[in-house]
Amino acid sequence: MTRRPPKVHDDDSRLFREAIGDVRLMRPADILPAKPRPAPHPHMRDADEAAVPADSLLFDYDPADLEVGEELSYLRDGYPPRLLKQLKRGQFSIQADVDLHQMNAAAAQLTISEFLAECRHDGIRCVRIIHGKGLRSKAGGPVLKGLTDRLLRRRDDVVAFASARPMQGGTGAVVVLLKGP
């Protein structure tokens, strides 16, 4: 919708000119040409690249960054081995996940059971269970990791599972393939 300028009556125009008085026309201002912008330069990338040699000489590390424990892997009898290979390579899209951190064994067991039942009900086939690496576990080793392994092997609706790829949690998580509807 375009707006039309209001109509100005002759009386209004005359009154305005009387109130303003004589005016003189101003000369148009010279328009300066636009200054060209400099080409973009990735300063942060250069700073990151420059910091790599110095960072590589430092031996400070976070123990949580290290992979601890063995990889989990399981394929139910009757399914082709390529299915497990595809799962390990990350060729299935993770549709849901659950994090068991800070849970005790009983709470984790209940959470896993409810989570998998809900996923099956919703038709979800590939999920991730984050159990952690057990870095703060006592001499018995990672509690939730072992619990997750035992639970998943006993379930009829689990086709296969494998430790997640490093960018998905590594040995601190497991990717599970569930039976279809």
Side-chain angles (χ1 to χ4, degrees):
M1 179 171 154
T2 58
R3 296 183 88 184
R4 288 187 230 153
K7 291 187 179 186
V8 179
H9 297 289
D10 290 334
D11 290 340
D12 293 334
S13 181
R14 184 183 48 76
L15 280 171
F16 177 75
R17 287 198 178 102
E18 286 176 6
I20 296 298
D22 291 336
V23 292
R24 67 181 164 89
L25 214 53
M26 292 181 66
R27 149 177 98 83
D30 293 332
I31 298 175
L32 298 174
K35 188 175 174 182
R37 292 181 171 234
H41 184 76
H43 295 286
M44 288 307 297
R45 185 188 70 195
D46 291 346
D48 289 344
E49 293 293 326
V52 167
D55 288 347
S56 66
L57 295 177
L58 294 175
F59 293 104
D60 296 338
Y61 63 91
D62 182 3
D65 292 339
L66 299 176
E67 292 291 320
V68 174
E70 297 177 8
E71 289 189 9
L72 299 180
S73 178
Y74 171 77
L75 178 66
R76 184 166 300 286
D77 290 336
Y79 288 91
R82 69 176 167 76
L83 197 63
L84 185 59
K85 279 185 183 179
Q86 290 174 324
L87 191 63
K88 287 181 177 182
R89 289 179 182 160
Q91 294 178 340
F92 289 93
S93 177
I94 296 172
Q95 299 168 299
D97 57 8
V98 66
D99 191 346
L100 306 178
H101 279 101
Q102 306 299 322
M103 290 186 191
N104 61 24
Q109 185 172 356
L110 181 63
T111 301
I112 291 171
S113 296
E114 289 176 351
F115 173 68
L116 293 178
E118 185 178 314
C119 289
R120 283 284 312 250
H121 179 267
D122 294 342
I124 294 174
R125 297 257 347 260
C126 186
V127 299
R128 177 177 58 172
I129 300 173
I130 304 166
H131 48 68
K133 296 180 182 179
L135 294 175
R136 292 185 294 265
S137 295
K138 306 280 189 257
V143 176
L144 297 180
K145 183 174 184 174
L147 172 78
T148 304
D149 184 38
R150 288 188 307 276
L151 257 167
L152 293 177
R153 288 176 188 271
R154 291 183 196 149
R155 291 186 61 100
D156 290 333
D157 56 352
V158 173
V159 172
F161 64 86
S163 289
R165 297 180 54 82
M167 65 283 260
Q168 297 171 330
T171 58
V174 66
V175 179
V176 182
L177 190 61
L178 300 172
K179 285 184 182 176

